[in-house]
């Protein structure tokens, strides 16, 4: 069965600091990869996705993620975080031939102004 | 509708009571998912529907959990004889379609139903 690991459970940064959140998955075949975000009081929403092609994916609000197949990783990055980026971030993987995305346990990001 | 609607948003049940949680997906979305999210954890898969067919229920934790989507739109998750360990947020998500058409695999989530069992 597919599994997803998010290594950083809690991250605290100051505004303008750079961000990198780790995500690793176990399945070795074709995958679709996602990052979802949940802002305080809001529901989960898509931040960015990778299906194929350029392994560097750009999403909303200046976020990007890089798919490294050899490392089974899809890390999320942002060069300069803002207070409004405070949220829970979830990595999700959809294995080839499956209908069901598997989620990581999430990373809680707090950005201090 | 414009988004995925879930009700009730909050439900407090006494241990042993039955509860029913409703999900109204985006109109035209074929796939519907239920996930359970415990405090401090990520969403854990419960069950999956494609139209009215329940294609996967492998994540349902016990036979006290039952889900249906009789007309291929609204879905209900029912929990019988609730236990304290059932306390969680129950998330519903829908997508245009599932499987190989990757462009249709993006999930749209509802706000969730927070269940507290006393």
């Amino acid at each position: 069965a597919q599994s997803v690991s998010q290594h950083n459970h809690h991250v605290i940064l100051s505004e303008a600091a750079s961000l990198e959140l780790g995500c690793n998955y176990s399945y070795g075949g074709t995958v679709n990869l996602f990052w979802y975000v949940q802002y305080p009081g809001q529901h989960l929403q898509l931040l960015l996705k990778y299906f194929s092609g350029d392994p560097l994916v750009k999403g909303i609000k200046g976020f990007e993620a890089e798919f490294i197949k050899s490392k089974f990783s899809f890390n999320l990055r942002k060069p300069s975080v803002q207070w409004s980026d405070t949220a829970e971030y979830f990595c999700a993987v959809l294995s080839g031939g499956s209908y069901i995305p598997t989620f990581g346990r999430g990373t809680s990001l707090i950005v201090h102004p | 509708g414009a988004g995925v609607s879930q009700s009730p948003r909050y439900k407090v049940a006494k241990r042993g009571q039955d509860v029913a949680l409703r999900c109204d997906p985006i109109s035209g979305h074929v796939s519907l998912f239920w996930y359970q999210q415990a405090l401090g954890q990520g969403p854990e898969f419960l069950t999956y529907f494609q139209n009215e067919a329940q294609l996967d229920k492998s994540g349902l934790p016990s036979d006290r959990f039952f889900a249906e989507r009789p007309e291929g739109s609204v879905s209900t998750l029912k929990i019988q004889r609730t236990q304290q360990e059932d306390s969680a947020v129950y998330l519903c998500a829908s997508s245009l379609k599932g499987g190989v058409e990757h462009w249709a695999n993006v999930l749209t989530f509802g706000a969730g139903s927070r269940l507290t069992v006393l």
Side-chain angles (χ1 to χ4, degrees):
Chain A
Q2 176 67 265
S3 66
V4 180
S5 296
Q6 291 185 243
H7 317 296
N8 318 101
H9 298 152
H10 301 279
V11 174
I12 301 174
L13 296 173
S14 298
E15 272 194 322
S18 64
L19 171 72
E20 181 160 3
L21 301 182
C23 173
N24 287 89
Y25 60 93
S26 60
Y27 181 72
T30 302
V31 290
N32 295 166
L33 299 161
F34 309 83
W35 277 96
Y36 285 83
V37 61
Q38 187 168 25
Y39 297 105
Q42 297 186 27
H43 54 267
L44 275 162
Q45 56 189 283
L46 183 72
L47 193 58
L48 50 75
K49 61 187 182 294
Y50 170 81
F51 293 142
S52 64
D54 189 345
L56 185 61
V57 177
K58 295 192 183 297
I60 60 173
K61 302 187 179 184
F63 285 91
E64 64 179 30
E66 184 175 12
F67 169 50
I68 303 179
K69 189 174 182 178
S70 61
K71 295 185 177 180
F72 300 94
S73 71
F74 189 57
N75 291 355
L76 181 70
R77 300 194 294 248
K78 185 171 183 178
S80 177
V81 294
Q82 300 174 316
W83 174 78
S84 59
D85 294 326
T86 294
E88 297 271 344
Y89 292 82
F90 296 92
C91 180
V93 178
L94 183 63
S95 304
S98 172
Y99 295 102
I100 299 158
T102 300
F103 284 78
R105 66 170 289 179
T107 297
S108 173
L109 172 66
I110 296 174
V111 180
H112 289 299
Chain B
V4 178
S5 178
Q6 291 189 246
S7 61
R9 288 291 314 280
Y10 303 92
K11 176 69 179 178
V12 178
K14 291 183 180 179
R15 187 167 165 266
Q17 281 185 330
D18 298 348
V19 300
L21 308 176
R22 175 189 168 105
C23 173
D24 199 342
I26 292 175
S27 178
H29 275 196
V30 167
S31 295
L32 186 144
F33 303 79
W34 283 98
Y35 284 84
Q36 180 190 60
Q37 186 175 20
L39 191 64
Q41 302 295 318
E44 293 281 344
F45 169 73
L46 293 177
T47 187
Y48 165 67
F49 290 86
Q50 197 167 94
N51 295 307
E52 70 279 2
Q54 189 175 23
L55 298 189
D56 192 321
K57 55 181 181 178
S58 62
L60 295 176
S62 77
D63 59 7
R64 296 186 295 105
F65 286 71
F66 171 77
E68 60 183 5
R69 193 186 185 198
E71 297 179 356
S73 55
V74 171
S75 176
T76 304
L77 176 67
K78 297 179 180 177
I79 310 172
Q80 297 177 324
R81 304 181 303 282
T82 53
Q83 304 292 317
Q84 283 189 324
E85 61 263 28
D86 300 335
S87 296
V89 176
Y90 290 86
L91 297 170
C92 178
S94 69
S95 67
L96 191 59
K97 199 170 180 181
V100 297
E101 291 92 354
H102 56 77
W103 49 270
N105 280 338
V106 175
L107 299 186
T108 300
F109 281 88
S113 292
R114 181 179 296 277
L115 172 65
T116 302
V117 182
L118 302 177

